[in-house]
């Protein structure tokens, strides 16, 4: 009889708004992953973007603002591609993301018009490689399913380890779905098999059957009753939809073949109406079907042709739909530049009555159980609520402050997770909980009590160790008025040993892609758009290998060329007004092309250079002579660096060695030790007052890596190392000795890494990264006096883009900015003044820079600021609990009324007016 039964949704019509009803300013990501590219809660929409290599997530609202426009913002979430994202079904403002950087993060987001928090609420590290899928449990709070390439884990986000690690799949895991009550977990895999897991019963699949016949991308969803729906491809390479009964998976109930295409089908299902939407990634067709429990299992409702190709789709939750116009579905189509809201409406007389037959009760926002209850074996479904406008639950809060989670400890990271004070947490030293009985198992389970607050705080202190005050450092490009724009003809292929450009506090030197090794010099005091006409330049006559400014003379530029010569140029006061063709002097001595050049930090006019002739030579610019020649390298010299006191010189070489020289005592290395295993390039810099050497290089798998070596024992190898990412360019380090902050980026990168370096374990303390919208040539840092200490700016850099020069400020967020932050601004060395001459240094003398305070005269140090008396934010509970008599209430009410009306004893206004004399009445 069902064959002839008429469906109330059969005439549902998709309505695509005009272009001014689309969400614009969207840069949809086109990266490949198994996860969703867009997801929605009742209030917000999150989506993948192509910014920062896919590590950022876009955020906008479900409904437009009062002016009919949407605000779109981005959040920097991960160090690598965001592969999947999911909103909590119980909290519109709690977003989970997973990434190729092998972490899962939970974010407390707020409305796009507000400032977003830069730190995740929770960070989980499943330690299972690249993560592909993350999915909230549909009935229990604080529970997540996390999938890697082949692995599958279930996490309680308040714990430091997974509740269970399920059996590995034999190939790429492609789809994941929870049953509505959360008792079972289904997955689809590239090995063409479907698997059902009961995570509380056993780690292996309770059922495993053959799925689609082709091993291309597939997806899986739980639909009505105990049925599963999968999408994939058949043997004819046609897109295919199949319906399965989970109780007997040996064969599918129904199958439906669609078009012959390579596009992965993305299914979405609404359990209230039974409507299924299917769209292909990269296609412009969206099909809608109704899923039934009996024949016909799949009946087509609509076939929608869209204006743009699809990157991803998401359904807006039922509680956010407009029931007044009979809207039964709202699909969000993510495209390259827009999000298109497509409304599916049933053609009925709208705006009068609530059509209860179209809107059965839907799942609410209150979890049916806790993660602990679920793990103990309970199976409950979320309480349903009515969609009737007068019976709907109150909307969720609209700000991050109002939606602060009660159970998730703020800022919890993978290190802090094990010491969470949540009721579900256990000490890391306790045994793992045993399993509980579920619907298919008789195994037992139990939870250990959480530690007391004092125990928890002690455990946190012991586990976390020191905390970096620069953890939340923020990088920001300064206002456009400070930029130099319209740069043309930049030389973008400088050698790997060269920083690409150089700057001091007054000017920037940039190589140009013009014959003769020409260099442009721009004054930082003259920002703005450059003219289209030719600019005066330095004609170096040969290609530039490396160049740098004299730290003690802002007008002197030293340039190393391909012809093994070093030329010294003097820039006129006020900048270049005409082309320079004759250098001040030329240094000759190297027999092959020069790699890099570095000035000695204390002695004026003393320069070190490394060359393809495998030597490092020291030059006295005052006399124009070579004064030392260091040997001992067996291959290309990647980088050189002077020690902070100027006594020693460190080198890192392609032969896999790090060497240390004392040039005044020996021309051979005084120490030698193993360096980076990779041979693609490396840089070296001194850190921690000259006690350690930091080397940025590559490991044996060509992944970028940071290494820390003790300057006293190079032979013992690195004392610590930390991985960065995979990229062909070498990370160029900058180290600030005042704050021990290390800032690194590579040519062509969009991300700038920040670490605080410690002289003891854990050595590396990662801080917030700065992401730029476009790849840059690199960063060059300015003297500390250029920083705005009133804005807690700890470093100022110049960023070279494709056609712009932009100042970038690195600031530490502080509350009491009216005080001088003396804890982050110690006295700084005046390294731009020489402490001795080259001749004095060569004769054995050592210099030391004087130090100055950066404190403005009108600012008080924060260490001397008066302590504020703590103010009680809330009245004691006794005030609210005190019972008042009727007489007291009446007296309070009368007093309030009298106070509003004014004092009854006061004379009336007219009483103060003067009358007329008595004799005036006689007229």
């Amino acid at each position: 009889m069902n064959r002839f039964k008429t469906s109330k949704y059969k005439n549902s019509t998709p309505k695509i708004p005009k272009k001014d009803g689309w969400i614009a300013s969207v840069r949809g990501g086109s990266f490949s992953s198994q996860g969703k590219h867009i997801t929605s809660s009742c209030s917000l929409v999150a989506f993948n973007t192509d910014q920062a290599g896919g590590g950022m997530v876009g955020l906008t609202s479900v409904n437009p603002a009062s002016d009919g426009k949407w605000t779109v913002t981005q959040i920097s979430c991960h160090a690598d591609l965001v592969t999947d994202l999911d909103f909590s079904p119980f909290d519109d403002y709690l977003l989970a993301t997973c990434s190729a950087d092998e972490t899962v993060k939970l974010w407390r987001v707020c409305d796009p018009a507000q400032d977003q928090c830069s730190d995740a609420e929770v960070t989980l590290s499943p330690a299972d490689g690249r993560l592909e899928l993350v999915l909230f449990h549909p009935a229990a709070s604080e529970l997540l399913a996390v999938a890697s390439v082949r692995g599958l884990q279930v996490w309680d986000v308040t714990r430091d380890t997974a509740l269970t690690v399920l059996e590995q799949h034999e190939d790429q895991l492609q789809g994941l779905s929870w049953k509505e009550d959360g008792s079972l977990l289904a997955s689809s895999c590239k090995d063409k098999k479907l698997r059902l897991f009961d995570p509380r019963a056993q780690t292996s699949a309770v059922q495993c059957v053959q799925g689609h016949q082709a091993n291309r991308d597939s997806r899986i969803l739980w639909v009505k009753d105990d049925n599963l729906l999968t999408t994939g491809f058949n043997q004819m390479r046609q897109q295919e939809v199949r319906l399965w009964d989970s109780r007997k998976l040996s064969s599918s109930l129904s199958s439906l073949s669609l078009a012959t295409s390579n596009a992965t089908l993305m299914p979405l299902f609404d359990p209230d109406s039974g409507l299924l939407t299917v769209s292909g990634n990269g296609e412009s067709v969206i099909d809608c079907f109704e899923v039934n429990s009996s024949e016909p299992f799949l009946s087509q409702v609509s076939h929608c042709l869209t204006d743009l190709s699809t990157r991803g789709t998401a359904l807006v939750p039922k509680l956010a739909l407009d029931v007044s116009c009979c809207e039964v579905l709202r699909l969000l189509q993510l495209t390259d530049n827009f999000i298109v809201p497509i409304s599916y409406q049933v053609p009925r007389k709208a705006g009068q009555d609530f059509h209860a037959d179209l809107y059965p009760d839907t799942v609410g926002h209150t979890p049916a159980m806790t993660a602990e209850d679920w793990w103990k074996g309970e199976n409950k479904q979320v309480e349903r609520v009515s969609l009737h406008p007068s019976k709907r639950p109150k909307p969720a809060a609209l700000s991050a402050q109002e939606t602060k989670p009660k159970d998730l400890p703020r800022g919890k990271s993978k290190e802090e997770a094990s010491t969470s004070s949540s009721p579900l947490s256990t000490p890391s030293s306790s045994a793992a909980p045993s399993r509980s009985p579920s619907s298919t198992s008789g195994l037992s389970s139990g939870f250990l009590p959480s530690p007391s607050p004092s125990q928890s705080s002690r455990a946190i202190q012991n586990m976390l160790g020191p905390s970096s005050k620069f953890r939340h450092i923020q990088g920001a490009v300064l206002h456009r008025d400070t930029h130099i724009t319209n740069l043309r003809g930049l030389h973008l292929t400088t050698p790997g040993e060269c920083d690409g450009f150089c700057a001091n506090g007054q000017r920037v030197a940039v190589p140009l892609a013009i014959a003769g090794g020409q260099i442009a010099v721009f004054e930082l005091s003259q920002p703005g758009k450059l003219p289209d006409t030719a600019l005066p330049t330095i004609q170096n006559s040969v290609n530039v290998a490396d160049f740098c400014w004299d730290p003690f003379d802002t007008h002197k530029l030293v340039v190393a060329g391909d012809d093994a010569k070093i030329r010294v140029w003097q820039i006129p006061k006020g900048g270049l007004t005409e082309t320079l063709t004759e250098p001040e002097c030329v240094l000759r001595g190297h027999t092959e092309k020069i790699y890099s050049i570095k000035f000695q930090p204390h002695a004026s006019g003393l320069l070190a250079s490394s060359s393809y002739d495998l030597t490092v030579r020291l030059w006295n610019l005052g006399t124009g002579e070579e004064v030392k020649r260091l040997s001992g390298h067996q291959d290309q010299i990647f980088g050189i660096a002077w020690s902070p006191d100027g006594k020693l010189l460190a080198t890192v070489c392609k032969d896999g060695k790090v060497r240390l020289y004392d040039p005044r005592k020996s021309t051979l290395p005084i120490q030698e030790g193993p360096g980076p295993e990779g041979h693609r390039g490396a840089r070296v810099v001194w850190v921690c007052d000259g006690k350690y050497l930091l080397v940025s290089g590559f490991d044996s798998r060509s992944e970028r890596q940071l290494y820390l070596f003790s300057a006293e024992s190079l032979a013992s190898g690195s004392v610590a190392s930390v991985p960065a990412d995979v990229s062909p360019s070498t990370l160029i380090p900058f180290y600030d000795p005042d704050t021990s902050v290390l800032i690194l980026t590579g040519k062509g990168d969009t991300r700038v890494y920040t670490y605080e370096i410690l002289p003891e374990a854990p050595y590396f303390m990662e801080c917030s990264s700065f992401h730029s919208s476009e790849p840059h040539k690199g960063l060059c840092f300015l003297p500390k006096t250029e920083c705005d200490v009133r804005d807690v700016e700890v470093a100022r850099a110049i960023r070279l883009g494709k056609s712009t020069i932009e100042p970038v400020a690195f600031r530490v967020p502080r509350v009491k900015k009216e005080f001088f932050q003396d804890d982050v601004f110690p006295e700084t060395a005046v390294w731009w003044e020489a402490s001795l001459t080259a001749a004095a240094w060569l004769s054995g003398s050592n210099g030391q820079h004087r130090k100055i305070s950066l404190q403005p005269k009108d600012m008080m140090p924060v260490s001397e600021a008066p302590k504020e008396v703590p103010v009680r934010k809330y009245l004691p509970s006794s005030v609210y609990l005190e019972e008042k008599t009727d007489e007291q209430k009446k007296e309070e009410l009368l007093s309030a009324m009298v106070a509003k009306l004014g004092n009854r004893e006061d004379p009336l206004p007219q009483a103060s007016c003067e009358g007329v004399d008595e004799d005036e009445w006689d007229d």
Side-chain angles (χ1 to χ4, degrees):
M1 296 297 294
N2 188 61
R3 182 185 300 272
F4 306 103
K5 184 178 178 180
T6 303
S7 168
K8 51 182 169 286
Y9 302 107
K10 73 170 186 175
N11 294 320
S12 298
T13 306
K15 299 196 175 200
I16 302 177
K18 294 181 179 179
K19 195 168 183 178
D20 56 2
W22 298 359
I23 304 175
S25 302
V26 171
R27 295 172 58 179
S30 57
F31 304 100
S32 175
S33 69
Q34 302 300 323
K36 302 178 289 294
H37 295 286
I38 182 171
T39 186
S40 173
S41 69
C42 290
S43 304
L44 300 176
V45 180
F47 55 93
N48 283 114
T49 73
D50 62 0
Q51 298 187 39
M56 299 186 78
V57 167
L59 195 70
T60 187
S61 56
V62 170
N63 298 312
S66 56
D67 60 356
K69 303 296 183 182
W70 282 267
T71 299
V72 179
T73 187
Q74 284 83 31
I75 309 172
S76 179
C77 291
H78 291 271
D80 207 334
L81 172 67
V82 176
T83 52
D84 196 13
L85 60 172
D86 193 33
F87 275 107
S88 167
F90 314 118
D91 189 338
D92 287 352
Y93 296 88
L94 187 62
L95 176 68
T97 60
C98 69
S99 168
D101 68 4
E102 305 181 13
T103 62
V104 176
K105 295 185 179 182
L106 268 64
W107 301 89
R108 174 60 49 183
V109 295
C110 54
D111 287 339
Q114 300 177 359
D115 292 336
Q116 303 294 330
C117 182
S118 60
D119 295 314
E121 291 281 342
V122 177
T123 301
L124 307 175
S125 297
D128 197 21
R130 172 185 167 118
L131 302 180
E132 290 287 351
L133 300 167
V134 61
L135 195 61
F136 274 104
H137 193 279
S141 60
E142 304 172 339
L143 208 57
L144 283 172
V146 180
S148 60
V149 176
R150 297 192 179 190
L152 184 55
Q153 302 181 15
V154 178
W155 281 78
D156 175 350
V157 300
T158 64
R159 306 178 70 89
D160 62 326
T161 56
L163 288 177
T164 182
V165 179
L166 303 178
E167 184 179 60
Q168 290 272 318
H169 291 64
E170 295 178 5
D171 209 327
Q172 170 76 59
L173 197 154
Q174 297 174 330
L176 193 64
S177 180
W178 284 104
K179 193 175 180 182
E180 190 173 12
D181 62 359
S183 59
L184 297 175
L185 194 58
S187 69
S188 63
C189 182
K190 192 175 180 181
D191 63 5
K192 300 185 285 188
K193 291 182 180 179
L194 308 180
R195 292 172 174 84
L196 286 188
F197 293 90
D198 184 342
R200 297 168 292 182
Q202 59 191 58
T203 57
S204 58
V206 295
Q207 288 194 66
C208 181
V209 299
Q210 188 74 24
H212 294 271
Q213 295 177 340
N215 63 351
R216 306 182 68 177
D217 279 357
S218 61
R219 299 291 185 265
I220 190 166
L221 287 176
W222 285 92
V223 289
K224 285 189 173 181
D225 304 323
D226 290 308
N227 292 340
L228 284 164
L229 184 136
T230 61
T231 61
F233 296 84
N234 60 20
Q235 281 185 326
M236 305 300 294
R237 295 188 178 181
Q238 291 177 312
Q239 296 170 329
E240 186 178 45
V241 180
R242 284 195 175 194
L243 192 67
W244 310 75
D245 187 340
S246 63
R247 295 163 296 188
K248 44 181 180 180
L249 281 177
S250 55
S251 62
S252 60
L253 295 175
S254 175
S255 65
L256 178 68
S257 297
L258 301 179
T260 302
S261 171
N262 295 326
T264 302
L265 287 177
M266 299 174 289
L268 299 170
F269 181 71
D270 174 35
D272 297 340
S273 62
L275 294 178
L276 168 77
T277 63
V278 178
S279 56
N281 189 356
E283 296 185 335
S284 55
V285 175
I286 300 176
D287 287 306
C288 182
F289 299 90
E290 186 171 7
V291 180
N292 301 302
S293 303
S294 56
E295 290 282 357
F297 291 104
L298 294 170
S299 54
Q300 186 151 9
V301 174
S302 66
H303 180 78
C304 176
L305 294 175
T306 61
D307 296 331
L308 302 172
S309 59
T310 304
R311 291 294 182 195
T313 56
L315 288 182
V316 174
K318 252 338 190 0
L319 286 168
L321 299 186
D322 184 1
V323 298
S324 64
C325 64
C326 299
E327 183 183 35
V328 293
L329 276 186
R330 191 186 307 169
L331 182 141
L332 302 176
Q333 179 200 21
L334 175 66
T335 67
D336 288 335
N337 300 299
F338 297 94
I339 295 177
V340 184
I342 303 175
S343 176
Y344 286 77
Q345 300 176 8
V346 175
R348 288 193 182 180
K349 198 170 184 179
Q352 295 183 356
D353 299 326
F354 173 71
H355 299 272
D357 60 322
L358 293 180
Y359 300 106
D361 289 353
T362 190
V363 291
H365 270 98
T366 305
M369 53 190 162
T370 64
E372 180 181 1
D373 295 333
W374 178 83
W375 186 244
K376 286 181 177 178
E378 291 188 21
N379 289 325
K380 295 180 181 178
Q381 293 197 17
V382 175
E383 182 180 356
R384 293 184 171 268
V385 296
S386 173
L387 288 174
H388 194 287
S390 63
K391 299 178 182 178
R392 286 194 180 193
K394 293 181 180 180
L398 296 179
S399 69
Q401 287 79 10
E402 294 167 345
T403 58
K404 188 173 181 178
K406 298 178 181 178
D407 296 318
L408 299 182
R410 187 165 183 80
K412 174 180 169 187
S413 66
K414 58 185 178 182
E415 293 90 355
E416 296 167 324
S418 60
T419 56
S420 167
S421 57
S422 169
L424 298 184
S425 67
T426 58
S428 58
S429 58
S430 60
S434 57
R435 296 179 182 272
S436 67
S438 69
S439 58
T440 59
S441 172
L443 301 176
S444 61
S445 175
F447 272 78
L448 296 175
S450 62
S452 67
S454 60
Q455 291 174 331
S456 181
S457 60
R458 283 197 299 269
I460 290 175
Q461 189 67 28
N462 292 336
M463 288 200 64
L464 297 184
S467 176
S468 174
K469 62 173 72 77
F470 305 100
R471 177 183 175 190
H472 303 295
I473 191 171
Q474 298 171 352
V477 177
L478 299 188
H479 193 270
R480 188 175 176 83
D481 289 347
T482 63
H483 299 186
I484 299 174
T485 60
N486 199 34
L487 272 70
R488 297 186 174 192
L490 296 182
H491 187 29
L492 302 177
T493 57
T494 52
E497 295 76 28
C498 176
D499 291 349
F501 76 113
C502 61
N504 56 34
Q506 297 183 16
R507 49 190 59 87
V508 182
V510 179
L512 301 178
I514 304 174
Q518 296 191 38
I519 300 172
V521 178
F522 305 107
E523 300 295 309
L524 292 177
S525 60
Q526 301 173 13
K529 184 178 179 181
L530 297 174
D532 294 334
T533 57
L535 298 171
T537 61
I538 297 174
Q539 291 191 353
N540 196 59
S541 72
V542 295
N543 289 335
V544 176
D546 195 16
F547 58 123
C548 65
W549 292 102
D550 187 331
F552 314 124
D553 185 350
T554 58
H555 295 273
K556 184 175 291 185
L557 181 67
V558 180
V559 183
D562 283 349
D563 59 354
K565 298 175 184 178
I566 300 173
R567 293 168 174 82
V568 182
W569 300 88
Q570 191 72 25
I571 310 300
K573 290 184 179 181
L576 283 181
T577 56
E578 59 182 7
T579 298
L580 297 184
T581 57
E582 290 297 326
E584 188 178 68
C585 71
V586 180
L587 307 179
R588 297 177 175 85
H590 282 296
T591 58
E592 294 190 43
K593 176 182 172 182
I594 297 171
Y595 293 128
S596 57
I597 52 177
K598 287 287 186 298
F599 273 96
Q600 211 267 5
H602 291 271
S604 61
L606 190 62
L607 182 75
S609 62
S610 62
S611 167
Y612 275 85
D613 59 20
L614 305 185
T615 65
V616 175
R617 307 193 187 204
L618 304 188
W619 307 84
N620 185 341
L621 298 189
T623 61
E625 297 176 350
E626 175 188 324
V627 292
K628 293 286 182 181
R629 183 183 303 180
L630 310 180
S631 58
H633 297 89
Q634 305 299 319
D635 208 328
Q636 180 181 350
I637 304 168
F638 285 142
I640 58 177
W642 288 97
S643 62
D645 58 10
K647 297 178 181 179
L648 304 175
L649 187 69
T651 67
V652 58
C653 183
K654 191 175 181 180
D655 62 9
K657 300 289 185 181
V658 177
R659 294 176 174 88
L660 204 58
Y661 290 85
D662 186 340
R664 292 178 293 186
K665 293 182 179 179
S666 174
T667 60
L668 294 175
I670 58 173
Q671 279 197 68
E672 187 175 295
E677 298 177 5
H679 304 299
R680 304 186 66 169
R683 294 296 180 93
V684 60
V685 66
W686 293 77
V687 297
C688 301
D689 296 323
K691 296 178 182 177
Y692 292 92
L693 286 169
L694 184 133
V695 176
S696 67
F698 296 84
D699 62 14
S700 57
R701 297 175 297 177
S702 293
E703 295 180 359
R704 296 200 289 197
Q705 195 97 0
L706 303 179
Y707 303 88
L708 197 65
F709 298 88
S710 171
E712 295 180 353
S713 56
L714 291 182
S716 58
S718 63
V719 297
S721 64
V722 61
D725 57 6
V726 179
S727 180
S729 62
T730 306
L731 285 171
I732 302 171
F734 164 77
Y735 178 74
D736 178 18
D738 296 344
T739 59
S740 295
V741 168
L742 176 75
I743 302 176
L744 312 100
T745 192
K747 298 177 187 176
D749 285 5
T750 58
R751 180 181 181 184
V752 179
Y753 294 88
T754 311
Y755 294 89
E756 183 178 2
I757 307 299
L758 303 178
E760 55 190 20
Y763 298 106
F764 292 92
M765 297 183 68
E766 187 172 5
C767 305
S768 298
S769 297
F770 164 63
H771 293 268
S772 56
S773 57
E774 296 180 351
H776 49 236
K777 181 73 173 176
L779 296 179
C780 191
F781 286 81
L782 305 182
K784 210 60 176 285
T785 50
E786 300 295 325
C787 297
D788 183 3
V789 297
R790 297 179 186 274
D791 205 18
V792 201
E793 182 183 337
V794 295
R796 173 75 64 90
I798 298 297
R799 174 181 176 268
L800 178 62
K802 186 176 181 181
S803 61
T804 60
I805 294 173
E806 305 166 347
V808 179
F810 291 87
R811 305 183 180 102
V812 177
R814 288 292 173 94
V815 176
K816 299 180 179 180
K817 287 189 177 182
E818 65 272 20
F819 297 102
F820 176 69
Q821 310 294 319
D822 52 345
D823 60 324
V824 297
F825 291 113
E827 288 190 337
T828 188
V830 186
W831 53 261
W832 50 92
E833 293 181 2
S835 58
L836 73 167
T837 64
W841 182 84
L842 291 168
S843 63
S845 299
N846 292 309
Q848 188 173 359
H849 292 303
R850 67 184 181 91
K851 292 192 173 184
I852 59 172
S853 173
L854 297 175
Q855 179 183 342
K857 293 181 179 179
D858 59 344
M859 292 185 76
M860 177 187 293
V862 71
S863 59
E864 300 176 10
K867 294 185 178 179
E868 296 180 357
V869 178
V871 179
R872 184 189 292 272
K873 293 184 179 180
Y874 307 101
L875 293 174
S877 59
S878 59
V879 174
Y880 301 101
L881 297 177
E882 181 182 356
E883 190 67 31
K884 297 178 180 178
T885 64
D886 291 341
E887 290 298 326
Q888 289 174 321
K889 293 177 182 177
K890 186 184 296 184
E891 186 64 30
E892 288 181 2
L893 181 60
L894 287 172
S895 299
M897 293 174 64
V898 169
K900 193 170 185 179
L901 292 174
N903 193 340
R904 287 174 293 181
E905 303 299 328
D906 292 342
L908 295 174
Q910 56 266 38
S912 62
C913 296
E914 295 184 2
V916 297
D917 295 334
E918 290 294 332
D919 56 355
E920 292 184 17
W921 291 103
D922 296 338
D923 296 338

